[in-house]
């Protein structure tokens, strides 16, 4: 699974960071999923290799505008782009009427089926490639993280079983390898029974806003990648006397270290953190604060950067 | 009055053009007005010298999403930026509930008064500097153009009147010149009675989508600048057999020529028109088609470009 960040700023866009949106891309590289959809997400897609035609589902972590105001435009542009595939949109119930009103009031007609599902009663959602479940977080409004788990990654023929059942090597094996159902000795053989994952499934968690990383203790066990907000650094929260329901880099780093998270990605940075290291506060302050508490593989998300979990299990930038 | 284009693409954003939004800036250079607010308008503002704090009012021409989906984000970011000045938002009644629901569902609280006014029953709106009225156009949904007329531009003391009324030259004149009320010979003198425009007021029309430029015949008389969509060129409409309620460059140019429009600005170009003149169709096709029919001062709007009406009455780009 790859990750591509379409927005890494908190609350408001800046010149170099848009508001929240994260693409989770199947290992096949084709279909993908979107977590949050701040205003301008469709604009960011124009600057990526992702197409809204290949988008399988959208997941919204919470109701705040910087996480969802890009929905109407994305849905309308997908329509104008001729999308016909169904699209699932999993989001807080409080936003359902707003999305529907955006489409009806603007006279927007979608040529594809759009299914709105409530995140609050979300049963694990799944496609052929991934299962997605929600984990409750703590913020000023209800917020969740989404746990992506690969299903049957890189399936290979279960040769042991085929041989044991006396299914002859040849065209039958080839058809099963392609996922087709075959007949043999008067019996129907389903491909899924003869294909098994050739590596363990990856697990990635992409969180919404959250001031209590400890809520992830259970789901973060053995996770490959944890994507979590680090809106502030400690000195800023101390000066403001308020974290507004957000986490500091320190708090997330401490949690990730304790939980043994292999790859931690921080995102959703307050617009006050400058890119220029000569200015203060700057984004390096966030990195330095996290590194004090976390010895694992740390990444500070950058807009439009795509990352891949390598064979060694570490998340690395994919060169364009 | 200056004009700055924040979005000049029709329907969907492209890499070089955002969806519709046009800033009309007072001659003083401080306060400004926004016509339409497609998604990403607030992002474009980050790349301009305009501040949402100085925005006086927003006017929306029609309900289509590429003209209004940027409203929730702009309003929320103005709140986060600490705006306290009231803001008037003049828009189709069909969008009022959607704007209100965007704010309430996303738990967005505005620290400034927001007044929603229906464009359908719009009385001329005015600030100290401009009056704005609406003119009905023709599109797939109700659409209007907004006519901006300067009020009392660059006021100077009416010396003739002051002398005739025997008001002595000196501090009294100075106070009146500053717009203050003064007392003289037991009478209150209001500055507005002793200040008069030192040049004729400018008039600028910024139109929404429209397939019948002739509807502007009356208001376009003696207008300084007409900003009108030219979504297509004639060959494209002929090939498609449908203009989708839009105008061709030819139709707008013919109208502007007949009406004697001094400055015609075309905008809202279909995303198919490429910037690269070696590709077809390209934006030069739009210019060439318009020039066949219009001999006045023609401008094809470009994103983020600011234009000014010079002393000679012609609209020219302002160098950054």
């Amino acid at each position: 699974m790859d990750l591509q960040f379409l927005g890494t700023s908190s609350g408001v866009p800046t010149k170099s960071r848009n508001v929240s949106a994260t693409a989770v891309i199947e290992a096949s590289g084709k279909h993908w999923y979107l977590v949050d959809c701040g205003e301008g997400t469709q604009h960011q897609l124009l600057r990526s290799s992702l197409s809204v035609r290949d988008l399988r589902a959208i997941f919204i972590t919470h109701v705040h505008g910087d996480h969802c105001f890009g929905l109407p435009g994305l849905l309308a542009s997908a329509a104008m782009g001729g999308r016909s595939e169904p699209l699932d949109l999993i989001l807080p119930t409080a936003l359902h009427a707003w999305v529907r009103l955006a489409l009806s009031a603007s006279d927007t007609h979608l040529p594809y089926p759009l299914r709105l599902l409530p995140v609050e009663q979300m049963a694990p959602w799944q496609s052929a490639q991934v299962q997605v479940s929600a984990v409750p977080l703590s913020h000023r409004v209800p917020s969740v993280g989404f746990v992506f788990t690969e299903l049957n990654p890189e399936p290979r023929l279960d040769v042991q079983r085929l041989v044991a059942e006396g299914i002859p090597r040849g065209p039958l094996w080839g058809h099963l390898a392609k996922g087709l159902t075959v007949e043999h000795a008067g019996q129907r053989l389903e491909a899924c029974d003869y294909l098994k994952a050739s590596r363990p499934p990856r697990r990635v968690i992409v969180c919404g806003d959250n001031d209590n990383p400890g809520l992830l203790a259970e789901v973060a066990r053995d996770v490959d990648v944890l994507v979590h907000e680090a809106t502030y650094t400690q000195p800023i929260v101390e000066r403001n006397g308020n974290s507004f329901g957000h986490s500091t880099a320190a708090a997330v780093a401490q949690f990730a270290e304790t939980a043994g998270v292999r790859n931690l990605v921080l995102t959703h940075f307050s617009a006050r953190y400058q890119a220029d290291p000569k200015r203060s506060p700057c984004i390096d302050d966030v990195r330095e604060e996290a590194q004090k508490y976390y010895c694992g593989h740390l990444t500070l998300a950058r807009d439009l950067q795509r990352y891949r979990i390598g064979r060694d299990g570490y998340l690395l930038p994919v060169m364009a």
Side-chain angles (χ1 to χ4, degrees), chain A:
Chain A
M1 274 193 289
D2 285 7
L3 289 168
Q4 187 162 16
F5 292 88
L6 302 170
T8 62
S9 179
S10 163
V12 293
T14 71
K15 279 191 193 174
S16 57
R17 296 181 185 271
N18 196 27
V19 284
S20 290
T22 305
V24 180
I25 306 153
E26 290 181 359
S28 70
K30 182 156 168 58
H31 291 115
W32 61 285
Y33 308 87
L34 180 61
V35 177
D36 287 331
C37 185
E39 181 183 357
T41 297
Q42 66 162 322
H43 300 67
Q44 294 289 74
L45 289 177
L46 294 175
R47 292 169 173 78
S48 79
S49 61
L50 299 170
S51 162
V52 77
R53 279 177 187 251
D54 301 322
L55 175 61
R56 282 296 178 90
I58 306 175
F59 301 85
I60 304 292
T61 60
H62 65 294
V63 298
H64 285 157
D66 58 321
H67 294 253
C68 67
F69 281 168
L71 282 172
L74 187 83
L75 298 175
S77 290
M80 280 182 271
R83 182 189 175 102
S84 57
E85 300 285 304
L87 182 66
D88 278 3
L89 171 53
I90 295 92
L91 77 174
T93 307
L95 294 175
H96 288 213
W98 170 71
V99 169
R100 293 198 190 284
L101 192 52
L103 299 174
S104 62
S106 65
D107 202 35
T108 303
H109 304 278
L110 303 183
Y112 56 88
L114 176 70
R115 190 163 63 139
L116 269 55
L117 301 168
V119 75
E120 296 86 351
Q121 298 106 44
M122 180 183 171
W125 181 97
Q126 69 177 63
S127 66
Q129 304 292 324
V130 299
Q131 185 187 73
V132 186
S133 59
V135 51
L137 302 175
S138 163
H139 189 46
R140 306 197 304 275
V141 294
S143 178
V144 302
F146 292 106
V147 186
F148 287 76
T149 307
E150 285 183 317
L151 295 172
N152 215 18
E154 297 180 30
R156 302 278 183 269
L157 278 180
D158 185 348
V159 173
Q160 208 169 0
R161 180 169 176 177
L162 288 163
V163 170
E165 296 188 9
I167 297 156
R169 200 179 288 263
L172 284 181
W173 285 32
H175 292 321
L176 289 169
K178 286 179 188 154
L180 302 172
T181 303
V182 299
E183 291 223 12
H184 173 61
Q187 293 218 306
R188 284 170 62 85
L189 309 180
E190 302 293 341
C192 59
D193 294 329
Y194 297 91
L195 290 169
K196 63 177 190 185
S198 60
R199 61 167 171 77
R202 305 283 194 198
R203 283 175 68 238
V204 170
I205 310 179
V206 183
C207 294
D209 294 2
N210 179 35
D211 62 10
N212 185 359
L215 292 170
L216 295 157
E218 187 138 337
V219 292
R221 205 177 298 142
D222 300 325
V223 79
D224 292 279
V225 183
L226 173 64
V227 179
H228 199 286
E229 64 130 311
T231 308
Y232 301 119
T233 45
Q234 282 182 314
I236 297 292
V237 171
E238 281 157 21
R239 193 187 313 156
N240 290 349
N242 196 334
S243 75
F244 302 100
H246 292 295
S247 286
T248 60
V252 183
Q254 282 164 346
F255 166 76
E257 183 65 23
T258 307
V261 169
R262 177 176 280 199
N263 294 285
L264 173 64
V265 183
L266 299 180
T267 183
H268 196 268
F269 308 113
S270 163
R272 78 192 68 212
Y273 296 102
Q274 316 267 331
D276 181 352
K278 281 174 249 143
R279 302 182 74 169
S280 177
C282 78
I283 197 71
D284 287 349
D285 300 346
V286 181
R287 183 187 302 278
E288 282 161 23
E289 185 173 295
Q291 280 171 335
K292 269 190 225 160
Y293 302 98
Y294 177 66
C295 303
H297 191 80
L298 176 70
T299 302
L300 266 62
R302 284 188 291 126
D303 273 41
L304 298 178
Q305 181 63 57
R306 184 164 171 162
Y307 300 89
R308 181 165 298 161
I309 307 171
R311 290 263 156 205
D312 60 359
Y314 290 111
L315 189 75
L316 287 174
V318 176
M319 295 308 153

